[in-house]
Amino acid sequence: WRPSDLEQREGRAIRKGNETAGQFADNKVDVIIYAVEKSLDSYKFNLLHNKQLFITQLKTNNMGARTIDEGSLDEKSGMNFSEYVAILSGNTDLLEKARLEKKIATLESERKGFNQNRAVSEHRRDDILRTVDGNSELISRMKTDWKDFSDRVQYESEGNKLNPLKLNGVENADLKSLAAKLASLNDNATTHSEHYKIGSLYGFSLLVKTEDSMKEGLFMKQNRFFIEGEGNIKYSYNNGHIANDPKLAVRYFLNALEKIPSLIKTYEQENKKISADLPVLQEIVRSTWRRENELKDLKTELAALDRKIQLSLKPIDTGDDRNEGSSHKNSIKNEDETQKAAREIHDLMSGKLTTNDFIKNCGNTNSQMPERLQQTNQTKGFKL
């Protein structure tokens, strides 16, 4: 009554170390299943089929369908229990139905996998397109900022870029005053996670933002600095942290602007890399499952076979059945009359019933006597 019992039975022969099979049977073992056609064995194998189906679904983590492989002589599990049911029933249509259901289940699983793969490809394609569009927009805005900076930048006689940094509240634009102001902002500014404008450089806005963080269970705040142009992109250098060195601190915002070309190149390379998969993904999304008509034909064939099987199982009412029923009722009636007559004869012979009473019960026409008793009465001159 358990699939494991049958597996254990077969395992005693097919397990490793069977020297007899290795020496005399080319290392092969014949597995023979004994069953009686049109017996309780059909029910037992049907029960085993359902149990094996449930156990297999749990082991493979696949509860999407109520059908598993029903192929004859499967390499993994041998002959399937559902095919035993079909064979033991004596109806080959049931076996053909099991095979059709196997083909349909295989095709439906294939179609499900195809649709899942197409859905994943479509999601991946859309994600790539969104990323490419977003990167392209950023590239366009960064190019605008770089053009503005290139048009406005000024150079020294040696060819170095000038750094005309302007900070709010600083009148003397010398290195020492600017560095002191930046250090003060870095230590004391509190913007509550908002970007606060602190000055300008070549028409770009200088911003500071206070961010809260936690270190070793203690709340801490740190200020990060950015520079923003007409493209509304906030550029930073050294992850937004101002250096302690005065010269490096004052040059922070200029260094952030000089990173724009490298940022543009990074986004362009990313677009090129992820766009390489687009042609393949587009082809998968536009494709259709080619075996849809085959699956439709198999389902039509299965429906027709189901109707044939159902018609073969319907009872047929005939006149013979009614005659047999009538004959059976007459037989029961005759048996009751015979038993009644036998009791009366027994009572007559034992003295419990007089002859007159017996004749009265039987009637002058012998209508209540059984046929054999009527023959005896006739030979006796109707003395009974």
Side-chain angles (χ1 to χ4, degrees):
W1 297 98
R2 297 178 301 180
S4 58
D5 294 337
L6 191 58
E7 293 176 3
Q8 184 181 19
R9 167 188 176 272
E10 298 172 0
R12 295 182 181 277
I14 64 178
R15 67 178 54 173
K16 293 182 179 180
N18 190 337
E19 297 181 358
T20 302
Q23 295 179 8
F24 302 102
D26 193 23
N27 206 28
K28 296 180 180 178
V29 176
D30 294 332
V31 178
I32 302 175
I33 304 296
Y34 295 95
V36 179
E37 186 178 356
K38 297 182 180 180
S39 69
L40 184 61
D41 291 342
S42 178
Y43 167 76
K44 292 177 68 176
F45 278 108
N46 184 47
L47 190 62
L48 287 173
H49 162 62
N50 292 331
K51 291 180 179 180
Q52 184 193 49
L53 173 62
F54 175 71
I55 294 171
T56 303
Q57 287 175 334
L58 286 179
K59 287 183 176 180
T60 59
N61 193 27
N62 179 19
M63 303 299 289
R66 289 293 298 168
T67 307
I68 59 175
D69 183 37
E70 298 187 6
S72 179
L73 298 178
D74 185 79
E75 294 180 357
K76 295 182 179 180
S77 60
M79 199 168 185
N80 192 276
F81 291 128
S82 63
E83 292 184 344
Y84 287 132
V85 177
I87 293 174
L88 294 176
S89 68
N91 190 344
T92 57
D93 289 338
L94 294 177
L95 183 58
E96 181 64 23
K97 179 184 176 184
R99 291 172 179 169
L100 283 176
E101 288 176 342
K102 174 207 167 181
K103 292 180 180 179
I104 291 174
T106 301
L107 289 179
E108 287 182 340
S109 177
E110 180 182 331
R111 181 177 62 179
K112 181 180 178 181
F114 174 83
N115 291 333
Q116 288 178 343
N117 184 44
R118 185 171 61 181
V120 171
S121 299
E122 184 175 4
H123 177 75
R124 174 62 179 159
R125 180 204 62 180
D126 294 342
D127 185 56
I128 291 176
L129 291 176
R130 284 192 298 267
T131 303
V132 170
D133 291 342
N135 289 347
S136 299
E137 183 183 358
L138 287 175
I139 292 171
S140 176
R141 290 157 57 187
M142 284 189 289
K143 286 183 176 180
T144 300
D145 288 339
W146 179 247
K147 183 178 182 303
D148 292 340
F149 174 69
S150 300
D151 293 341
R152 301 169 187 171
V153 67
Q154 299 175 7
Y155 295 89
E156 297 176 350
S157 58
E158 294 83 2
N160 298 323
K161 295 183 180 69
L162 293 175
N163 187 21
L165 187 65
K166 296 179 181 179
L167 294 177
N168 299 337
V170 178
E171 296 180 358
N172 298 323
D174 58 278
L175 178 63
K176 184 177 181 180
S177 299
L178 293 173
K181 180 63 175 180
L182 290 174
S184 176
L185 290 170
N186 188 38
D187 294 336
N188 303 316
T190 303
T191 67
H192 304 288
S193 299
E194 298 291 335
H195 291 89
Y196 179 74
K197 185 176 179 180
I198 60 174
S200 63
L201 174 64
Y202 289 123
F204 290 79
S205 299
L206 310 182
L207 308 172
V208 62
K209 177 185 177 183
T210 304
E211 296 179 349
D212 295 329
S213 62
M214 179 177 289
K215 183 177 181 181
E216 297 180 357
L218 299 175
F219 283 100
M220 301 180 63
K221 69 173 184 177
Q222 60 178 354
N223 288 309
R224 299 179 63 197
F225 294 84
F226 305 89
I227 183 169
E228 182 181 27
E230 295 181 1
N232 295 323
I233 298 177
K234 298 174 176 62
Y235 305 99
S236 65
Y237 183 79
N238 191 30
N239 200 27
H241 300 296
I242 292 290
N244 293 326
D245 183 81
K247 186 176 180 179
L248 295 177
V250 172
R251 189 174 171 80
Y252 169 87
F253 298 101
L254 191 61
N255 289 336
L257 289 176
E258 290 178 344
K259 285 182 59 180
I260 294 178
S262 63
L263 291 174
I264 293 175
K265 184 178 180 180
T266 299
Y267 280 104
E268 288 177 341
Q269 290 177 347
E270 182 182 0
N271 278 356
K272 183 178 179 181
K273 180 180 179 180
I274 63 178
S275 297
D277 297 334
L278 279 178
V280 177
L281 295 175
Q282 294 281 20
E283 186 67 23
I284 295 176
V285 172
R286 288 194 297 264
S287 63
T288 57
W289 193 53
R290 300 178 180 178
R291 307 186 69 179
E292 189 67 45
N293 292 334
E294 181 181 353
L295 178 59
K296 183 178 179 181
D297 293 340
L298 287 175
K299 287 185 176 181
T300 302
E301 184 178 353
L302 179 61
L305 188 61
D306 271 333
R307 289 193 295 270
K308 179 180 177 182
I309 294 174
Q310 293 300 326
L311 289 175
S312 66
L313 297 177
K314 288 184 177 180
I316 301 176
D317 295 333
T318 62
D320 293 342
D321 293 338
R322 290 190 293 270
N323 293 337
E324 290 179 1
S326 177
S327 175
H328 179 64
K329 292 179 181 179
N330 292 336
S331 176
I332 294 176
K333 182 178 180 181
N334 290 337
E335 288 179 2
D336 292 341
E337 293 177 353
T338 302
Q339 292 175 358
K340 180 180 179 182
R343 286 196 301 271
E344 291 178 349
I345 292 174
H346 180 271
D347 293 341
L348 176 64
M349 299 299 294
S350 62
K352 295 181 180 180
L353 186 67
T354 63
T355 302
N356 292 333
D357 291 337
F358 177 79
I359 295 175
K360 183 178 180 181
N361 293 337
C362 292
N364 295 330
T365 59
N366 297 324
S367 60
Q368 301 297 327
M369 287 187 180
E371 183 178 355
R372 182 177 298 179
L373 190 57
Q374 291 180 18
Q375 294 176 357
T376 303
N377 189 26
Q378 184 177 4
T379 58
K380 297 294 184 178
F382 299 99
K383 295 181 178 180
L384 291 181

